[in-house]
Amino acid sequence: MGPQEPRLAELLCALSVSLDLAMAQPPEKSIRSCLVAARLAERLDVADKRTVYYATLLRHLGCTATTHEEIHLAGPRAAELRPLAERTDSGSGTEVLRYLSQVGKGTGIRRLQYVARTVTTGEDDILRAICEVGSMLAERLGLGPGTAEALYQNVERWDGKGKPKGLAGKEIHVATRIAEVATQAVIVGGETLRKRKGGWLDPEVVDAYDESLTADLDEIDVWQATLDAEPQPWCPTPDLDELARTFAYFVDLKSPYLFGHSTGVAALADEAARILHLDDHERATIRRAALLHDLGRVAVPTAVWERTGPLRRADWEQVRLHPYQSERILSRSPVLEPIAVLAALHHERLDGSGYPKQAKGGELSTAARILAAADCYQALTQDRPHRSAHSPEGAAELILAQVAAGKLDGRCVKAVLAAAGQQVPGRRLSRPAGLTEREIDVLRLLARGSSNADIARELVVSRRTAEHHVQHIYGKIGVSTRAAAALFAMQHGLFTP
């Protein structure tokens, strides 16, 4: 592996934060569990330490598969109950009753309904779906059959009372047995582990655990320690498109209303970028940002996304923050940081009415404008809880109305519509003065008052190169000052002050 190539562990440690958020657990719960599992595997001298590492890190890779069903089974509080469910011993009648009492808290009728539904219908199917989806996504990531198998067995128990196959003892993959102990060590501690020894948990693995394996987790840089703990040889660097596509599936499984959304946005954005003659590097960044733009959705309960009526104030605040959550997740990896910055802008609008940053036109690159248009059009053509999908023609009318209102970039919208196969009368995709998309981005920075040094930092080029870009643009548009360049940009609809 070359020195500049990203490590799979680094990318997946960053993306594992989305699993923590989906499980309503604190960020870094997955990597803490992974580190403890790696230490246990070392102590037990397990042969396949790599599978232990990834099966623990990605333990909840299938957890979005059933959130829709969980709402209908447990009610709108389903997301809040996930942390409690994860620590509940299903073999203990006392713990199960405690869990069920929380499910129906405040409404005795709902509690009885939940118990009846759980017994007669949903739980087996829910657990099986989580296992199957986690296993399938692990296969897409190229983590090997061992990791896929271990994830499929996530809710098996040492005593054979687990799901989906009722495996017992050493029929269960060693990585699954270690991952369970490591995860429970992080969330409930060693005393509880020992109580569950021989029932839920493998006695040998529990005996190998002591508090020294978790004592330093609040003192060290857990992120770096987990990267350092990745077994050698490291997994091959993944194809970033395939990695992004896998997590796009993870996100879009959160609700039937979202199926295919992220991949649809990516297809539109990529083709629109080609129509607009963006270079291959920019297209790749847009495509990957489109695939990952909605990662932050997992932090918002599915009950909010599936609300059929107006959002409440508290709901709306959560929704407004989901692009920020996407940026937060992705920015943990230096490799994904450029994607993070772009993904965070998919709900921004030229007039500053978007969210969460209220960015305005001059702050939004061509890539950000394409992504916003693609996301808007794709959403309009899909069913939502409060409306049916618009026809392609109806969606085109609505998105063009947003152009007229000064919210979306007309040229980028037309490119997205062309990518979707829409015929747009009067479509004109050439840029004024023959400016390239890169030069347009420089012009916008210049117009909003950025110095040559600022432009150099933004474009990740030398100051001399930035100065050359500026002078070249001045020559193309026939001006010699920043103010005149800003006026040119506004006259041609390239910049909204």
Side-chain angles (χ1 to χ4, degrees), residues 374-408:
D375 176 66
C376 184
Y377 179 82
Q378 180 67 21
L380 288 170
T381 60
Q382 292 182 285
D383 287 334
R384 289 294 182 261
H386 59 285
R387 61 159 175 81
S388 298
H390 294 281
S391 67
E393 295 76 18
E397 289 182 14
L398 289 170
I399 198 171
L400 287 169
Q402 293 208 39
V403 174
K407 295 180 180 296
L408 293 173

Side-chain angles (χ1 to χ4, degrees), residues 248-249 251-253 255-268 290-291 293-294 297 322 346-347 371-372 374-384 387:
Y249 294 143
V251 172
D252 289 355
L253 282 168
S255 168
Y257 295 104
L258 301 175
F259 290 171
H261 178 74
S262 297
T263 51
V265 173
L268 289 172
L291 287 167
H293 74 283
D294 265 347
R297 274 190 190 267
H322 85 267
H346 69 276
H347 277 296
L371 181 56
D375 176 66
C376 184
Y377 179 82
Q378 180 67 21
L380 288 170
T381 60
Q382 292 182 285
D383 287 334
R384 289 294 182 261
R387 61 159 175 81

Side-chain angles (χ1 to χ4, degrees), residues 168-397:
K170 295 193 176 180
E171 293 178 319
I172 304 168
H173 199 292
V174 64
T176 305
R177 289 181 271 134
I178 292 175
E180 190 68 86
V181 170
T183 300
Q184 293 300 311
V186 167
I187 62 179
V188 299
E191 183 178 347
T192 303
L193 289 187
R194 287 181 275 276
K195 290 179 182 177
R196 295 171 174 175
K197 172 181 170 181
W200 184 355
L201 305 176
D202 180 343
E204 183 182 358
V205 180
V206 173
D207 286 343
Y209 172 81
D210 61 55
E211 278 68 14
S212 69
L213 297 182
T214 52
D216 62 347
L217 296 184
D218 291 329
E219 309 298 329
I220 62 173
D221 182 345
V222 179
W223 171 272
Q224 189 59 53
T226 304
L227 290 180
D228 293 342
E230 182 191 13
Q232 298 276 7
W234 293 337
C235 278
T237 302
D239 177 271
L240 285 180
D241 282 284
E242 188 61 25
L243 180 75
R245 188 170 300 276
T246 300
F247 276 84
Y249 294 143
F250 166 78
V251 172
D252 289 355
L253 282 168
K254 188 169 176 65
S255 168
Y257 295 104
L258 301 175
F259 290 171
H261 178 74
S262 297
T263 51
V265 173
L268 289 172
D270 183 49
E271 177 61 13
R274 186 195 67 78
I275 291 170
L276 293 174
H277 307 295
L278 272 66
D279 63 35
D280 289 346
H281 175 73
E282 290 173 305
R283 280 185 64 187
T285 299
I286 292 172
R287 184 172 61 250
R288 293 161 185 167
L291 287 167
L292 295 169
H293 74 283
D294 265 347
L295 266 185
R297 274 190 190 267
V298 300
V300 182
T302 301
V304 172
W305 296 119
E306 297 193 4
R307 184 176 291 279
T308 55
L311 293 178
R312 300 170 301 181
R313 186 186 298 269
D315 297 333
W316 182 235
E317 286 306 310
Q318 291 185 79
V319 168
R320 286 173 60 87
L321 285 174
H322 85 267
Y324 160 76
Q325 295 284 12
S326 296
E327 182 177 27
R328 174 186 168 204
I329 293 164
L330 294 168
S331 63
R332 294 179 71 92
S333 165
V335 175
L336 299 176
E337 193 162 8
I339 300 171
V341 172
L342 179 54
L345 300 174
H346 69 276
H347 277 296
E348 301 295 344
R349 295 296 182 258
L350 298 180
D351 62 356
S353 64
Y355 59 84
K357 300 179 180 180
Q358 291 84 51
K360 290 190 175 182
E363 302 169 79
L364 301 173
S365 66
T366 297
R369 295 168 184 229
I370 291 172
L371 181 56
D375 176 66
C376 184
Y377 179 82
Q378 180 67 21
L380 288 170
T381 60
Q382 292 182 285
D383 287 334
R384 289 294 182 261
H386 59 285
R387 61 159 175 81
S388 298
H390 294 281
S391 67
E393 295 76 18
E397 289 182 14

Side-chain angles (χ1 to χ4, degrees), residues 53-127:
Y53 185 93
Y54 283 109
T56 310
L57 180 65
L58 301 177
R59 182 170 178 76
H60 296 299
L61 192 55
C63 70
T64 54
T66 59
T67 55
H68 173 77
E69 288 76 13
E70 287 173 39
I71 291 172
H72 293 278
L73 190 64
R77 293 186 58 230
E80 302 171 30
L81 295 166
R82 281 191 157 198
L84 178 59
E86 189 175 6
R87 66 178 65 212
T88 296
D89 183 351
S90 62
S92 165
T94 301
E95 290 195 37
V96 170
L97 286 173
R98 185 184 304 124
Y99 172 72
L100 292 177
S101 72
Q102 289 299 310
V103 170
K105 195 171 185 178
T107 50
I109 295 297
R110 177 176 289 282
R111 185 182 312 155
L112 292 174
Q113 290 173 336
Y114 171 78
V115 173
R117 284 192 297 249
T118 300
V119 170
T120 59
T121 57
E123 190 176 35
D124 282 1
D125 287 344
I126 283 178
L127 296 177

